[in-house]
Amino acid sequence: MMTIRRADPDDLPAVLGILHAAADALHERGYDQWPDGAPTLGPGKVGAQIKRGEFWIASDGAGPVAVIAISLLGDRDFWTAAELAEPSVYLSKAAVLPSQAGRGIGALLFRWATDYAARLGADWVRLDAWRTNTGLHDYYARRGWCWVRAMTVPGRKSGVLFMRQALPDLEAREAFTVTETTAVTVP
């Protein structure tokens, strides 16, 4: 059984460690996603997301193995005003330790986040993907995410948008023991 909990400021090194290990693995496979020194993976940006309660850490008996950021605020560079007005949850910075790849943790974490979004009252779960990471686009499509559109925003490398309906997933919910119960609702 795995556990999942909201990250706290003391978890910043663990969250950054997982994100940077995943980025290194992407670079080894030839992807330019999450380049070294990217501000979005720096302690300031990630620390702010942790303070806002957006980061979650999944652990097995040996310790943290994956992270995901779950936000109620969408990126105005990518989502229209009409889309932002819909009850939605936005996912970002999902990463699994490379040593744990192939166990299905990432897919299960996305399913858990979709179930969590449904429990919060969201209608949609949305994310944006790195434009050049076509392997990631295929991954999302194989797991039921609907392609919305591809965008080019100056200064941004992300911009391929996906979404899916927020639906309960009892199997994913029961796969994780939640060790934190702070209530959040979608406005």
Side-chain angles (χ1 to χ4, degrees):
M1 174 74 68
M2 296 188 66
T3 62
I4 191 163
R5 66 177 174 81
R6 197 179 305 268
D8 63 45
D10 291 339
D11 293 313
L12 180 61
V15 172
L16 289 173
I18 292 170
L19 289 169
H20 287 242
D24 289 346
L26 286 169
H27 302 163
E28 288 171 10
R29 293 187 355 237
Y31 291 106
D32 63 347
Q33 184 171 337
W34 293 347
D36 292 336
T40 58
L41 293 189
K45 176 80 171 177
V46 172
Q49 286 184 276
I50 290 172
K51 286 179 185 172
R52 288 192 304 266
E54 294 176 358
F55 260 103
W56 290 79
I57 298 176
S59 299
D60 63 9
V65 295
V67 295
I68 192 168
I70 302 173
S71 178
L72 302 178
L73 301 174
D75 190 325
R76 295 187 179 284
D77 281 349
F78 299 134
W79 302 99
T80 68
E83 290 165 338
L84 291 167
E86 297 172 332
S88 301
V89 165
Y90 299 86
L91 307 182
S92 65
K93 296 186 183 79
V96 176
L97 280 175
S99 63
Q100 302 300 309
R103 293 180 48 200
I105 294 170
L108 188 59
L109 190 59
F110 277 110
R111 288 178 53 204
W112 180 87
T114 300
D115 174 77
Y116 181 68
R119 288 182 280 138
L120 292 177
D123 292 336
W124 301 105
V125 183
R126 295 183 167 130
L127 58 84
D128 59 271
W130 204 258
R131 285 191 315 267
T132 58
N133 192 338
T134 56
L136 186 58
H137 307 165
D138 293 342
Y139 174 88
Y140 291 138
R142 285 192 313 272
R143 281 158 182 79
W145 290 84
C146 297
W147 183 88
V148 176
R149 66 184 162 271
M151 304 180 62
T152 300
V153 176
R156 304 287 301 269
K157 297 282 188 165
S158 196
V160 178
L161 309 183
F162 290 88
M163 63 187 258
R164 69 180 312 150
Q165 192 171 7
L167 294 172
D169 185 332
L170 188 57
E171 181 182 30
R173 186 182 316 168
E174 290 178 349
F176 291 98
T177 299
V178 178
T179 60
E180 183 276 340
T181 59
T182 303
V184 177
T185 55
V186 175

